[in-house]
Amino acid sequence: MAYARAVVRVGVEKRNRWRVRLEERIVRTLLFLCALVGIVTTFAIVLILATESVGFFEQVSLVEFLTGTVWTPTFANPSFGVLPLVTGTFLTTAIAMAVSGPVGLLTAIYLSEYASPRVRRVVKPTLEVLAGIPTVVYGYFALTFLTPLLQRFIPALEGFNALSAGLVMGIMILPTVASLSEDALYAVPNSLRYASLALGATRFQTVWGVVVPAAMSGISASFLLGISRAVGETMIVAIAAGQQPTFTFNPLRAIETMTAFIVRITMGDIPHGTVEYRTIFAVGLLLFVITLALNLASEAIRQRYKGARL
Amino acid sequence: MIRIESRPEWRRREHRREQLFQLVGAAIVLFALTTLTVLLVKIFLDGYTRLSPEFLSNFPSRRPDEAGIKAALVGSFYLLLLTAALAIPIGVGAAIYLEEFAKRNWFTRLVEINITNLAGVPSIIYGLLGLQVFVRTLSMDRSLLAGACTMALLALPVIITAAREGLRTVPNSLRYGSLALGATQWQTVRYTVLPVALPAILTGIILSLSRVVGETAPLLVIGAVVYISKLPDGLCSPFTVLPVQIYDWTTRPQKAFQENAAAGIIVLLMLLLAMNAAAIYLRNRYQKRLAL
């Protein structure tokens, strides 16, 4: 059908070739502009984060921002040490990775090296569904299910805490880590497995001694991407981890992450142009730089292992 | 390191290890399944008592048993339509340019790296972008349009990637056939490539738009309002969406509001389920067509 239509159209257009050429140029330019939108977006992000941050750092010294341990930008006597937000983010990210790292890797190994097609048919859609659940739903789950459950075993656990937010975040990131790690394991050529097995190694030894080391770069790339997701995740921590910037590494306490801080400030009506308003862009810049570095590192590792010949 | 071992007790140990790992695998499968089941069951048990026609047709209220999600549901629907109207033409256009027109040079590579990186930017950063560019600079205020523009930028990288994958499923022989008949490049794309690639592109687009429906953070940042007692009547009216309403109810201390949140989540998950079912239906139809 597509063929026939093309033939007819071309026959008609041939009579006014200049019009066809003009149309071709216009369309090409329009499509080019579409492709340009991506670059414009990146520039816009960098530009707004940078300009507002410059305004912020005219009033707050960079040293105070990066080394201070008290974060009270909305108080009458404000203090702008971002470290409590950084430790809060670090804490939830570390807990999330403690779940999704090992479980994700084991899931990937199990799916790619052990599981029968029947098991795969169950597990893969389950992971896809877990990946498709909105983060606000995970937040609800952490706050109303996991925290009360954990409080039965850990009485010291506060109502808002880094622990259950981090654990649920780990479940959220699990599909990312698992599917990217599985891709990496899948890319290991079978010849390596056969060689190892032919030498008398067991399957366990083959997996841990040959396949996993060969896929190590891809696995670490998936971990880096997982960390980046955890750092940028907003809703779970805004709901379940609390909104108290505390300089602590205690997972049982209420904390505040960089993302949750941005939510808290924008929910209140902070007037435009004030230092308080600019803090969200300074924190946003820090968040952007961290996630960009992680994403670039992950991409670089992935590209390298794609090129590597085993 | 691989050690080749043949002593019987070593072999037994290896066997045990093998079995142990099988067990670990099974445990993990169970873990994923259990988590998902517990999550869904918990939410259903919390929320199902609140599900009623009134819940769908009432506006938010200070009294939890009178509160409903009408404004949020309609807001989500409008936002989705508007975002789709903005993001699909641009996203598919960019994909066509990159797949069908662009030469392989430094610029194309730059665009590609860019898109990969944009896909990894946390969604809340898009919220800051929308707040500064659309809400303030272009003074759209906290409007439906500002929300849709922000969400369109957020969805763009995913849509471009999905559309490119769709275009790649079209075999080159079709392109050569069209070009050999004297069609220009755009005519080839318009009358040959796009009709064939459309179902695959659509599938990808629906899946990326289903993320827009569940997205909360950027809309909180640009200021989706929670208390809305009338439906949005234009591009510039204030709005709320389902996830924002759920967030608001979740963060309230009263248990009754949290039940509302759970009921809202059930509706949201149904919506996502419907979108994904549509995508799967399209994919299956399209696979049958390719088999012909």
Side-chain angles (χ1 to χ4, degrees), chain B residues 19-192:
Chain B
Q19 278 183 324
L20 193 77
F21 198 78
Q22 290 276 15
L23 222 71
V24 169
I28 277 164
V29 171
L30 250 134
F31 173 75
L33 277 174
T34 319
T35 311
L36 185 61
T37 317
V38 167
L39 187 142
L40 294 178
V41 167
K42 152 86 179 150
I43 283 163
F44 182 76
L45 288 180
D46 280 359
Y48 84 100
T49 48
R50 287 289 300 127
L51 279 180
S52 65
E54 289 80 51
F55 184 69
L56 297 179
S57 65
N58 279 4
F59 285 105
S61 158
R62 224 173 311 140
R63 269 171 299 198
D65 50 333
E66 281 174 19
I69 55 167
K70 183 176 188 182
L73 204 55
V74 174
S76 271
F77 183 67
Y78 283 164
L79 186 77
L80 178 65
L81 281 188
L82 211 52
T83 305
L86 289 168
I88 292 175
I90 297 176
V92 175
I96 291 175
Y97 181 78
L98 290 173
E99 281 297 310
E100 309 286 331
F101 285 88
K103 296 182 189 74
R104 308 263 95 208
N105 56 21
W106 64 271
F107 178 76
T108 325
R109 260 204 312 282
L110 183 71
V111 173
E112 280 171 355
I113 293 170
N114 214 322
I115 290 167
T116 321
N117 279 323
L118 279 177
V121 172
S123 62
I124 194 159
I125 301 279
Y126 283 95
L128 290 177
L129 176 70
L131 178 67
Q132 197 68 353
V133 174
F134 301 123
V135 177
R136 305 261 174 214
T137 310
L138 300 177
S139 52
M140 291 179 188
D141 233 22
R142 318 197 138 186
S143 65
L144 199 55
L145 185 63
C149 288
T150 309
M151 293 315 260
L153 289 185
L154 176 75
L156 216 48
V158 197
I159 289 185
I160 293 176
T161 312
R164 290 185 74 178
E165 269 161 26
L167 289 171
R168 276 193 216 126
T169 60
V170 179
N172 266 337
S173 55
L174 287 184
R175 291 188 184 90
Y176 298 149
S178 169
L179 291 171
L181 286 166
T184 63
Q185 213 156 7
W186 169 239
Q187 287 168 337
T188 304
V189 171
R190 169 75 184 76
Y191 298 107
T192 307

Side-chain angles (χ1 to χ4, degrees), chain A residues 56-101:
Chain A
F56 175 78
F57 287 119
E58 275 169 3
Q59 278 149 302
V60 179
S61 82
L62 188 63
V63 178
E64 187 199 338
F65 181 68
L66 289 178
T67 59
T69 57
V70 180
W71 180 255
T72 52
T74 52
F75 285 16
N77 186 14
S79 172
F80 297 97
V82 81
L83 282 182
L85 299 185
V86 174
T87 57
T89 305
F90 173 80
L91 203 55
T92 49
T93 304
I95 295 167
M97 286 314 290
V99 176
S100 62

Side-chain angles (χ1 to χ4, degrees), chain A residues 97-165:
Chain A
M97 286 314 290
V99 176
S100 62
V103 178
L105 179 57
L106 286 175
T107 309
I109 291 173
Y110 184 71
L111 283 178
S112 110
E113 309 293 322
Y114 284 86
S116 65
R118 221 186 56 194
V119 174
R120 288 176 63 96
R121 267 205 302 277
V122 178
V123 178
K124 290 220 103 180
T126 309
L127 289 177
E128 274 169 35
V129 172
L130 278 177
I133 288 177
T135 54
V136 69
V137 178
Y138 280 120
Y140 176 87
F141 185 65
L143 181 70
T144 64
F145 180 78
L146 197 58
T147 297
L149 184 75
L150 289 175
Q151 272 172 336
R152 277 193 215 164
F153 306 101
I154 316 167
L157 193 68
E158 295 179 12
F160 297 103
N161 59 77
L163 183 62
S164 56

Side-chain angles (χ1 to χ4, degrees), chain A residues 2-3 5-7 9-10 13 20 23-24 27-28 31-32 34-39 41-42 44-45 48-49 52 99 103 106-107 109-110 114 119 122-123 126-127 129-130 132-141 143-145 171 174 196 199-205 208-210 228 232 234-235 238-239 243 259 262-263 266-267 269-270 272 277 280-281 284 287-288 291-292 295-296 299, chain B residues 1-5 14 17-18 21-22 24-26 28-29 31-33 35-36 38-40 42-43 46 89-90 92-94 96-98 101 103 107 110-111 114 116-118 120-126 128-129 131-133 136 142 153 156 173-174 177-178 181-187 190-192 195-196 214-217 220-221 243 246-247 250-251 258-259 261-262 265 268-269 272:
Chain A
Y3 273 98
R5 255 169 93 186
V7 175
R9 293 295 299 192
V10 172
E13 304 292 2
V20 174
E23 189 187 323
E24 188 80 10
V27 166
R28 190 186 271 264
L31 294 176
F32 175 76
C34 290
L36 218 55
V37 171
I39 292 193
T41 310
T42 306
I45 290 176
I48 61 134
L49 290 180
E52 288 295 312
V99 176
V103 178
L106 286 175
T107 309
I109 291 173
Y110 184 71
Y114 284 86
V119 174
V122 178
V123 178
T126 309
L127 289 177
V129 172
L130 278 177
I133 288 177
T135 54
V136 69
V137 178
Y138 280 120
Y140 176 87
F141 185 65
L143 181 70
T144 64
F145 180 78
I171 294 166
L174 176 65
S196 166
L199 284 168
T202 63
R203 195 149 65 150
F204 186 88
Q205 289 170 324
W208 291 100
V210 176
S228 157
T234 309
M235 293 324 292
I239 291 173
Q243 305 196 313
T259 50
I262 296 175
V263 167
T266 48
M267 291 287 281
D269 259 322
I270 299 272
H272 175 60
Y277 180 77
I280 58 175
F281 290 93
L287 182 65
F288 180 71
T291 50
L292 186 68
N295 292 342
L296 287 177
E299 189 60 27
Chain B
M1 271 313 282
I2 308 161
R3 278 166 305 161
I4 297 164
E5 294 157 345
E14 282 305 319
R17 266 199 200 163
E18 194 85 346
F21 198 78
Q22 290 276 15
V24 169
I28 277 164
V29 171
F31 173 75
L33 277 174
T35 311
L36 185 61
V38 167
L39 187 142
L40 294 178
K42 152 86 179 150
I43 283 163
D46 280 359
I90 297 176
V92 175
I96 291 175
Y97 181 78
L98 290 173
F101 285 88
K103 296 182 189 74
F107 178 76
L110 183 71
V111 173
N114 214 322
T116 321
N117 279 323
L118 279 177
V121 172
S123 62
I124 194 159
I125 301 279
Y126 283 95
L128 290 177
L129 176 70
L131 178 67
Q132 197 68 353
V133 174
R136 305 261 174 214
R142 318 197 138 186
L153 289 185
L156 216 48
S173 55
L174 287 184
S178 169
L181 286 166
T184 63
Q185 213 156 7
W186 169 239
Q187 287 168 337
R190 169 75 184 76
Y191 298 107
T192 307
V196 177
E215 193 62 68
T216 324
L220 283 179
V221 172
I246 292 167
Y247 169 73
T250 304
T251 50
Q258 299 198 338
E259 283 168 10
I265 289 174
L268 179 63
L269 291 181
L272 294 177

